[in-house]
Amino acid sequence: DSGVTQTPKHLITATGQRVTLRCSPRSGDLSVYWYQQSLDQGLQFLIHYYNGEERAKGNILERFSAQQFPDLHSELNLSSLELGDSALYFCASSVGAASSYNSPLHFGNGTRLTVT
Amino acid sequence: AQKITQTQPGMFVQEKEAVTLDCTYDTSDQSYGLFWYKQPSSGEMIFLIYQGSYDEQNATEGRYSLNFQKARKSANLVISASQLGDSAMYFCAMRETSGNTGKLIFGQGTTLQVKP
């Protein structure tokens, strides 16, 4: 058990809809990273929050947004969903950011999103 | 730009034999961390082993060892005495320090199948 909790495990929704994915990091971890894993794109970095502040954006679509709350949990909001958004979405946490390069990211079990 | 390359899309190994999964990386950072993760068919991302850019000794964790050759920018994973439960996708990743984010950059992965 990594200590990172992601809900829900599975999500099935229709095109055009909006969903929210939730992540609770390990106790004491200040960084939350979101990744998207699809068959054709591999593991793609979406966005990083550190202690409530956005630190970096990767290949995140404008239809997607995220935030990290004062209790450090994070939510990833996906709107105007398209078939191509179907993927496994991971949240990962770490105690720090760049200075913690010698520590692993700990991953949640992911949310499998299916857009029909 | 930082990059991780895994050139073996799929590998087979006989149970109880050793197998090496290749990984090369490219970075201009002096400080970085190299990681291997295992993703079984159930989907979770499991941290296996870590090697720091300043570490002179190769990392070992049980049956896993990391063959780190800094000059060649390679960080190959060696799994000894393969077991059926080792069948999974394996990802090499690098945690960067530039950009003040510490995000993980992943390779495309290698699917390992262990034959009985």
Side-chain angles (χ1 to χ4, degrees):
Chain A
D1 183 9
S2 69
V4 179
T5 304
Q6 282 189 255
T7 57
K9 280 189 175 181
H10 301 276
L11 205 46
I12 302 174
T13 190
T15 55
Q17 294 299 304
R18 173 190 169 94
V19 297
T20 297
L21 282 53
R22 182 187 169 102
C23 169
S24 293
R26 290 192 322 161
S27 177
D29 284 358
L30 299 178
S31 272
V32 170
Y33 302 82
W34 286 96
Y35 285 84
Q36 179 193 56
Q37 185 179 28
S38 56
L39 283 175
D40 56 343
Q41 293 290 325
L43 274 154
Q44 297 289 313
F45 166 70
L46 295 178
I47 197 163
H48 168 214
Y49 277 85
Y50 177 79
N51 203 19
E53 292 184 7
E54 182 185 302
R55 276 286 178 95
K57 271 187 174 180
N59 300 322
I60 188 166
L61 300 170
E62 285 192 11
R63 300 183 286 108
F64 296 0
S65 65
Q67 54 183 327
Q68 187 180 29
F69 295 87
D71 67 353
L72 300 177
H73 90 272
S74 178
E75 293 180 355
L76 179 67
N77 300 297
L78 315 177
S79 61
S80 303
L81 285 167
E82 302 174 359
L83 295 178
D85 298 328
S86 295
L88 185 55
Y89 291 85
F90 283 108
C91 159
S93 75
S94 170
V95 62
S99 61
S100 300
Y101 69 90
N102 54 355
S103 300
L105 297 194
H106 297 274
F107 283 78
N109 287 339
T111 293
R112 188 168 295 280
L113 174 66
T114 303
V115 182
T116 62
Chain B
Q2 284 87 347
K3 188 178 180 182
I4 296 283
T5 302
Q6 294 179 253
T7 57
Q8 307 154 312
M11 292 277 287
F12 288 92
V13 65
Q14 207 66 38
E15 193 178 9
K16 299 181 185 176
E17 292 186 351
V19 63
T20 297
L21 306 183
D22 294 341
C23 172
T24 58
Y25 63 93
D26 191 19
T27 182
S28 54
D29 290 345
Q30 295 300 308
S31 303
Y32 51 88
L34 295 160
F35 302 84
W36 279 90
Y37 285 83
K38 172 184 178 182
Q39 186 177 37
S41 57
S42 49
E44 68 267 33
M45 292 288 286
I46 302 167
F47 163 66
L48 294 178
I49 194 167
Y50 154 79
Q51 181 83 41
S53 55
Y54 298 111
D55 295 342
E56 296 185 354
Q57 300 283 340
N58 286 339
T60 59
E61 286 288 346
R63 295 187 297 110
Y64 304 110
S65 60
L66 203 154
N67 185 358
F68 180 47
Q69 297 186 47
K70 193 171 182 177
R72 301 177 70 175
K73 292 192 174 179
S74 74
N76 299 337
L77 177 70
V78 180
I79 305 175
S80 62
S82 297
Q83 301 172 355
L84 296 178
D86 293 334
S87 294
M89 177 81 90
Y90 289 81
F91 290 96
C92 179
M94 178 170 61
R95 196 164 185 195
E96 60 181 21
T97 51
S98 59
N100 200 26
T101 172
K103 68 178 187 284
L104 272 177
I105 301 164
F106 287 89
Q108 287 299 101
T110 295
T111 301
L112 176 67
Q113 292 191 38
V114 180
K115 293 182 172 180

